[in-house]
Amino acid sequence: MSRLHAPHYLQRLHNLPLNDEAWQEITASDMMDIPLLGNITAGMPIEAIADCGTIAVPTRMVRRNTYALRVRGHSMINCNIHDGDIIIIERSESAENGETAVVMINQQEVTLKKLYIEKSGVRLQPANDSMAPIYLKNADIEVLGMVMGVVRGNTVTH
């Protein structure tokens, strides 16, 4: 799939909660391909289905074990992550309280949410006031990665 307009690249600023002020736009120089592994829902969890391709991103957005997912849904709009964006993920097995993470539920469904560890278990909190949180037991979830960047706009994927 090929589109004509240049995308915008947003890199997450360190030590800031994920919201509109947590991003820095960077220029598209020194590009490299990373795996685009499919879709992630910003809404109700969906079945994890691998869909391999690649996307070119600025090298400064790439760390060890970096991959990309296309966002479907509107639950993370208050974190400046919108339907159709491609998020850049750093693979990680843990997340700090309040971090925006890619989470696998019951080894079959994936979602993008803010993760909160509470006495009764885990709360997966949307960043959209019109959507309800998801409450789970600690054993029901697995953190797959942390959001480190966003590619917005028209992109070229391979």
Side-chain angles (χ1 to χ4, degrees), residues 64-105:
R64 188 173 55 100
N65 296 317
T66 301
Y67 62 97
L69 295 166
R70 187 176 303 274
V71 175
R72 296 292 181 221
H74 302 281
S75 76
M76 299 307 291
I77 59 173
N78 292 344
C79 286
N80 200 17
I81 299 173
H82 300 275
D83 185 63
D85 286 349
I86 294 176
I87 53 174
I88 308 305
I89 304 296
E90 182 177 357
R91 198 175 306 268
S92 173
E93 294 178 2
S94 63
E96 296 291 322
N97 215 23
E99 282 286 348
T100 301
V102 174
V103 178
M104 182 174 281
I105 301 170

Side-chain angles (χ1 to χ4, degrees), residues 113-118 121-125 133-136:
K113 297 283 184 286
K114 287 183 168 283
L115 179 101
Y116 291 95
I117 299 158
E118 300 178 338
V122 175
R123 173 171 44 106
L124 300 179
Q125 182 69 46
I134 299 169
Y135 295 93
L136 298 163

Side-chain angles (χ1 to χ4, degrees), residues 14-150:
H14 296 287
N15 300 320
L16 287 178
L18 213 52
N19 60 32
D20 286 343
E21 288 80 39
W23 302 102
Q24 170 187 358
E25 188 161 351
I26 61 173
T27 58
S29 60
D30 299 324
M31 305 293 278
M32 85 182 284
D33 285 345
I34 63 170
L36 177 62
L37 299 182
N39 294 325
I40 182 77
T41 184
M44 292 306 294
I46 61 170
E47 184 179 354
I49 300 172
D51 178 23
C52 293
T54 61
I55 182 171
V57 298
T59 55
R60 66 188 273 192
M61 293 179 83
V62 178
R63 296 192 174 147
R64 188 173 55 100
N65 296 317
T66 301
Y67 62 97
L69 295 166
R70 187 176 303 274
V71 175
R72 296 292 181 221
H74 302 281
S75 76
M76 299 307 291
I77 59 173
N78 292 344
C79 286
N80 200 17
I81 299 173
H82 300 275
D83 185 63
D85 286 349
I86 294 176
I87 53 174
I88 308 305
I89 304 296
E90 182 177 357
R91 198 175 306 268
S92 173
E93 294 178 2
S94 63
E96 296 291 322
N97 215 23
E99 282 286 348
T100 301
V102 174
V103 178
M104 182 174 281
I105 301 170
N106 296 320
Q107 298 182 353
Q108 58 189 8
E109 298 174 322
V110 290
T111 190
L112 177 66
K113 297 283 184 286
K114 287 183 168 283
L115 179 101
Y116 291 95
I117 299 158
E118 300 178 338
K119 288 181 183 177
S120 60
V122 175
R123 173 171 44 106
L124 300 179
Q125 182 69 46
N128 181 334
D129 297 336
S130 69
M131 296 183 170
I134 299 169
Y135 295 93
L136 298 163
K137 297 176 188 166
N138 291 345
D140 293 341
I141 70 148
E142 178 184 353
V143 174
L144 300 179
M146 310 297 296
V147 176
M148 303 310 290
V150 174

